[in-house]
Structure formats: C-alpha cells, structure tokens
Amino acid sequence: MALSGEKRPPPPVAASGGTRRKLILALFVSLSALFYKQIQPPPPKIPGSPGGPPVTATRTRLSDGRYLAYLESGVPKEEAKYKIIFVHGFDSCRYDALPISMELGIYLLSFDRPGYAESDPHPGRTEKSVALDIAELADNLQLGPKFYLAGFSMGGEITWSCLKHIPHRLSGVAILGPVGNYWWPGLPANVSREAWYQQLAQDRWAVWVAHHLPWLTHWWNTQKVFPASSVIAYNPALLSEEDKLVIQKFAHRAYMPQIRPQGEHECLHRDMMVGFGRWSWSPLQLEDPFAGGGRGNKVHLLHGAEDRIVPASLSRHISGKLPWVVYHELPTSGHLFPIADGMADAIARSLLLGEDDDGPQPARDP
C-alpha cells in the first residue's frame, strides 16, 4: 500500500492504433531491406578492371563497348573451305569448342558468351542480343557474309535465336542437345508438361524461379535452405550410362577455374534467366532459312534419347512440326554426346557435307 501523500507512478499507456501501425511498418521495412540486400547478386568482376581477372585472351570490341573473348583454330580463315562458329553451353567457355579435325579445311571460331571467362558481362542480355553479338563477332573478324553455326546445350538454344534474328548470315546449322523453354509460345501443354516432369524436382524449382521470379535467381541458387539447381552442382543422378563414360572429360577440364572468374550471376544465373525467360516467339514459328538450298545448307538437330539434363521430347516435338529440320535422335546417348570419341567429326561431316542421313553416332568400343 502506498504511503499517504506518496505519488504513484502513472499507469503504462497502451500504444495507440497509429503507433502500432508505425511499429509494424518499420519492422516490415527493416526486414524487407535486409531481404533485398540478401537477394542482390554481387557485382561482376569485369576482366581487366581493378579486382577483376586479367585479360589473357584475344578479344574484340563490340559496338556497345563490350568485349568478347574468342579463340580461332583450324586452317587460316583466308584458306578455309568452311567457317564454323561454335556456341558453347552452360558453365563452359571458348575452350569447349568441338574438337573437329581440320582435314575438311575448317576454320573454327569459338568465343566466351557474355559473362563467361574473359567476355564482358551483359546485364541487359536477351535471347536476341546474343545472336546479334555473333553476327558482329563475324563482321569484326571478317568472316564474310555467311558462316556455319553449331551450338551445344544452352548454346543450342541460342542457335534457334540465330535462325530467328540472323538467318541471312547462316550457311547451315547444327543444334546439339538444345535447352528448351517450357513456356515457349505455341508449345502444347501436354508436351511441356511431359518434359517438365522429366527434370529432378529441385531443377523444376530452379527453372520455375528463373522464369517467374528472375530477380530471385541468384539467391535461390546460392542459399542453403532449399536444394538449388542440380545442373550447377553436377549431380551424378543427371548422367546417363553413356554420359558416365565421358563425364571425366567435362567435369575435370583443366581450364575450369577460368570459366566463372566474374562470379556465377552474369554467366550461370543469367543463362537461366534468359534461357527460361519470357520469349515473344518460339522455334515452332520459324520458317526454313535454306529453302531451295544445297546439300550442306540445312538445319540439323541432334539429341540423345537418354538425356536426363535436357529432355529430348521438346526437340522431338519441334522437329516434328518443322519438316525442314533434319532430326537425329541418338538412341543410347545422353546429354554429353558431342564430346564422345568421334562425334565432333561426325557432326561436322553431317553439317557440311550432308553425310549420314541417319545421324552421327558415337564411336563404340569393339
């Protein structure tokens, strides 16, 4: 009991509704700012810049100021019978060009796609911009008005973009195990669904995020709470029996430290955001770029039937709708068939000479 005359402390004043709302808003803003900071990718380490990797490759400057690193091999282009530009796939670089023998008189040009190895990143990259980069690269190196094109995996998807945006520059195309976009306009729901569920569950989530929430792609593939892309993690569950025979060639490349020196976001994550992004068109809408062309002027699409990384069903459906695409489904091959012994030369002969209508086959042990 309080003594007579002693002042009692005032009772606590309940927070008004306005105060509570302000506190909740402040907490929400603080948590949002923290989350925003967490999901932001680090800035790329641009080659040749302070803190960036050194420039050791031959590079060419594009009209927008970016640099592309490239590698020339084979016979000199002035003496070549055929000129091929190779577009590398996911988590690869200019050194991953097909090991084609030069007996056919081939000049081979490969390059680091934007954000990979020693090519500058392109934060505004789109499916169209890479095709235009290829055309400008050919012009800078004076390859002439036309060239052959080959692309593998994610690079295979890019060859579709070249058929859309620069068909007049192409003499022939080899599309090898191409990545497909499950949201391409005109792709039947049942076809997309069949291919979708051939992926591992964690890859379905990673691809879904890249398409619907591209701004979250970096966070999703670097956080440790949920399983991220198994392709980035080199999950052995993705390998077919034939892939297991050649995976050592791919997973232990001596130049692997040179592939991601700028960080993962502008190469791997940007690949996913563009490759699985919102396209305004699809390969199903393309027209034959070589109508009335010669034996070597064709589009060849090759896919391993046992591919567990990129389902063959999308390629099968697209080729069925485009009669001008020469489709070769390799019955026992997986995703890595282009690096199997003998395949590079078989692909080149099919592309350049139209040899082997049944499609190239990997060399097999006796």
Side-chain angles (χ1 to χ4, degrees):
M1 176 180 288
L3 297 175
S4 176
E6 182 180 347
K7 292 185 178 180
R8 298 181 180 181
V13 178
S16 67
T19 302
R20 281 196 299 268
R21 284 193 294 271
K22 290 179 181 178
L23 289 172
I24 292 172
L25 179 61
L27 180 60
F28 175 76
V29 170
S30 298
L31 291 175
S32 297
L34 180 62
F35 179 67
Y36 178 80
K37 183 178 180 180
Q38 289 293 319
I39 66 175
Q40 293 306 298
K45 299 176 181 179
I46 299 175
S49 67
V55 174
T56 62
T58 305
R59 305 202 304 173
T60 186
R61 190 174 187 269
L62 302 180
S63 57
D64 64 1
R66 289 181 295 116
Y67 284 88
L68 284 186
Y70 64 89
L71 178 68
E72 298 174 286
S73 58
V75 303
K77 57 177 173 281
E78 296 80 11
E79 304 170 14
K81 293 177 62 178
Y82 307 101
K83 299 168 186 174
I84 302 176
I85 296 181
F86 180 79
V87 189
H88 70 74
F90 193 72
D91 204 10
S92 301
C93 69
R94 65 190 183 279
Y95 293 122
D96 286 293
L98 293 178
I100 300 172
S101 66
M102 300 306 152
E103 61 183 27
L104 294 178
I106 297 171
Y107 163 86
L108 182 62
L109 173 64
S110 58
F111 66 102
D112 296 332
R113 292 195 284 106
Y116 279 99
E118 296 185 40
S119 284
D120 287 347
H122 188 192
R125 178 162 38 128
T126 66
E127 51 78 22
K128 181 178 181 179
S129 69
V130 184
L132 300 182
D133 284 352
I134 291 171
E136 192 170 356
L137 173 66
D139 289 340
N140 286 3
L141 272 63
Q142 301 180 333
L143 297 194
K146 291 198 173 189
F147 48 86
Y148 287 88
L149 186 70
F152 171 50
S153 193
M154 192 65 77
E157 186 184 50
I158 290 169
T159 60
W160 288 124
S161 293
C162 293
L163 285 165
K164 166 71 173 178
H165 299 294
I166 58 167
H168 57 289
R169 303 298 305 272
L170 307 177
S171 297
V173 177
I175 308 174
L176 313 174
V179 167
N181 188 318
Y182 303 95
W183 296 272
W184 270 332
L187 193 64
N190 63 312
V191 174
S192 178
R193 189 181 306 110
E194 177 190 355
W196 178 258
Y197 283 103
Q198 290 177 34
Q199 302 177 97
L200 296 180
Q202 65 194 81
D203 291 324
R204 294 198 296 269
W205 276 108
V207 170
W208 187 93
V209 168
H211 179 79
H212 292 285
L213 304 171
W215 48 271
L216 204 57
T217 302
H218 167 75
W219 178 83
W220 184 266
N221 289 287
T222 55
Q223 51 78 36
K224 306 302 181 184
V225 179
F226 308 105
S229 168
S230 65
V231 179
I232 294 177
Y234 284 71
N235 188 335
L238 295 173
L239 301 177
S240 71
E241 291 304 313
E242 289 197 3
D243 283 343
K244 293 175 183 177
L245 300 178
V246 297
I247 186 59
Q248 297 302 319
K249 287 185 182 181
F250 188 77
H252 297 96
R253 293 164 288 172
Y255 48 85
M256 284 190 73
Q258 302 175 47
I259 294 176
R260 310 182 197 173
Q262 302 181 54
E264 293 185 1
H265 186 67
E266 286 300 333
C267 54
L268 306 186
H269 304 160
R270 187 71 64 185
D271 260 3
M272 297 175 69
M273 294 158 63
V274 174
F276 299 115
R278 299 179 185 276
W279 292 35
S280 62
W281 61 276
S282 93
L284 292 166
Q285 301 164 353
L286 295 176
E287 297 181 355
D288 184 0
F290 307 123
R295 184 174 177 81
N297 304 122
K298 293 182 179 179
V299 175
H300 294 266
L301 172 55
L302 293 83
H303 214 125
E306 299 299 318
D307 194 331
R308 298 177 185 174
I309 297 176
V310 179
S313 55
L314 291 183
S315 289
R316 193 180 303 131
H317 177 80
I318 291 170
S319 62
K321 296 297 182 180
L322 303 178
W324 45 270
V325 170
V326 183
Y327 183 54
H328 313 284
E329 187 163 306
L330 311 180
T332 61
S333 296
H335 190 64
L336 300 178
F337 70 86
I339 65 175
D341 292 344
M343 275 301 296
D345 284 341
I347 291 168
R349 288 184 175 278
S350 182
L351 171 64
L352 304 175
L353 306 177
E355 291 185 2
D356 195 350
D357 290 339
D358 293 328
Q361 296 293 330
R364 304 190 186 282
D365 295 331

